[in-house]
Amino acid sequence: MTDTLADSRTSSREFIEGVPVVVEDVPRRPAAERNEVLADPGFGRYFTDSMFIARYRAGEGWYDARLTGYAPLQVDPATAALHYAQSIFEGLKAYVQPDGSVATFRPEANAARFVRGAKRLAMPPVPEEAFIAAVDALVDAERDWVPTGPDQTLYLRPYQLASEPFLGVRPANEYLFLAIASPAGAYFSRGVHPVTVYLSEEYIRAAPGGTGDIKSAGNYAASLLAQEEAIAAGCDQVVWLDAVEKRYVEEMGTNNLFFVLGEGDDAELVTPELTGTLLAGITRDSLITVARELGYRVTERKFSVEEWRRGVTDGTVTETFGCGTAAVITPVGEVKARTGGFVIGDGGPGPLTMRLREHLLDVQHGRVPDTHGWLHRVG
Ligand SMILES: *Cc1c(COP(=O)(O)O)cnc(C)c1O
């Protein structure tokens, strides 16, 4: 990382007390180039002109916080994170509001989860206010990269990794905290399509006492083979079962799951309870609140494959959907498994799935009042 202190300035923003966010003059792509990307950004393919980076050293704490040009990192080949995956990440989005301002959605919940993740991996946590300050500084600097098309967003990826060059297996003494930003198109740009899922009866995602409840990099490496198998079986996503009995449904890929029991105003939502092996999604939490406000009963409990299969067959389970920051809500149309598959409802997106999806998108994009203070204005 080259320091260009000559053409940098110290903003009024602080990362943590006594550590200002230094704002460098970074090369910016011309508007025409940017607009070309924003016309069809896809997901996770393009990155904005700048990034946030701060460093940590044991005994010194966090230091050298700056907004700098988006560029490759130069790391030592012995960098601990590359060997032992002492590394966590977050995912949240910035949304253009109807008045032209920009807001992130519940960033304090991401900040709190990031602290929990750091502690679990024996890393020094980034204080919650510092996490939010970093994300705010990045969004503010990249205001022009927040796309304005229907349901388009700027996806934000804060992450922390052990940067100490040392091959001993112990918590590192040096860390990097970064945040990068990537414009994201509407997830379902050609209408909402249900996914077909594959029950993973061989591989597991998370075990009791493990790291399933945090966004640690290693979890995702361990999930890829099962996801590849799901695709080979003609499915879009893998569904994870509990590691001990392989009986209860836990998650779908990197989404939490909801099941709709019954229909109409009397419909009940069931979502697997947070046993410690599930990731506590912020979308999941928001949907529990929103659904209750709309008058639906929501229950957090264990939900077995057997109950799912039987319910779909006898008509008591009418809808199933996954939820997460990236796609908000994804309907599940069909389940495939070695033990026999089934089609949910008529295989199309269910009415409650679509109602909740529209409602949460409306909140995030500021189209309905934000009654919970979930939107965090930036700039
Ligand atoms: C990120 C993630 C989710 C969804 O969390 P959100 O906060 O709603 O984005 C669910 N499951 C897993 C495994 C995840 O990594």
Side-chain angles (χ1 to χ4, degrees), residues 117-262:
K119 288 181 175 166
R120 177 63 182 82
L121 293 194
M123 304 200 281
V126 172
E128 292 176 29
E129 318 76 58
F131 177 99
I132 293 170
V135 169
D136 282 1
L138 180 64
V139 173
D140 211 8
E142 301 297 34
R143 180 69 190 73
D144 292 345
W145 280 95
V146 186
T148 54
D151 293 342
Q152 288 189 332
T153 59
L154 184 64
Y155 182 79
L156 305 163
R157 168 55 61 89
Y159 59 110
Q160 179 177 350
L161 60 108
S163 55
E164 185 187 5
F166 179 62
L167 293 184
V169 180
R170 57 136 171 84
N173 286 316
E174 291 167 34
Y175 295 87
L176 295 177
F177 169 57
L178 295 103
I180 56 176
S182 174
Y187 198 86
F188 293 104
S189 51
R190 282 165 220 83
V192 176
H193 287 291
V195 292
T196 298
V197 298
Y198 185 76
L199 291 190
S200 179
E201 288 159 302
E202 184 177 359
Y203 301 110
I204 57 157
R205 192 192 82 86
T211 56
D213 60 343
I214 63 163
K215 288 176 116 56
S216 76
N219 290 352
Y220 303 86
S223 75
L224 298 175
L225 189 56
Q227 174 65 21
E228 205 173 57
E229 276 192 3
I231 287 168
C235 298
D236 306 289
Q237 283 289 344
V238 56
V239 161
W240 303 105
L241 306 179
D242 78 279
V244 178
E245 297 184 67
K246 304 234 176 113
R247 183 170 160 210
Y248 297 103
V249 183
E250 296 206 328
E251 303 204 50
M252 170 182 95
T254 57
N255 276 233
N256 293 115
L257 280 167
F258 279 84
F259 305 91
V260 179
L261 276 53

Side-chain angles (χ1 to χ4, degrees), residues 55-72:
R55 291 153 198 281
Y56 178 96
R57 191 176 295 128
E60 202 169 326
W62 290 102
Y63 66 99
D64 192 18
R66 59 183 61 231
L67 278 170
T68 186
Y70 185 96

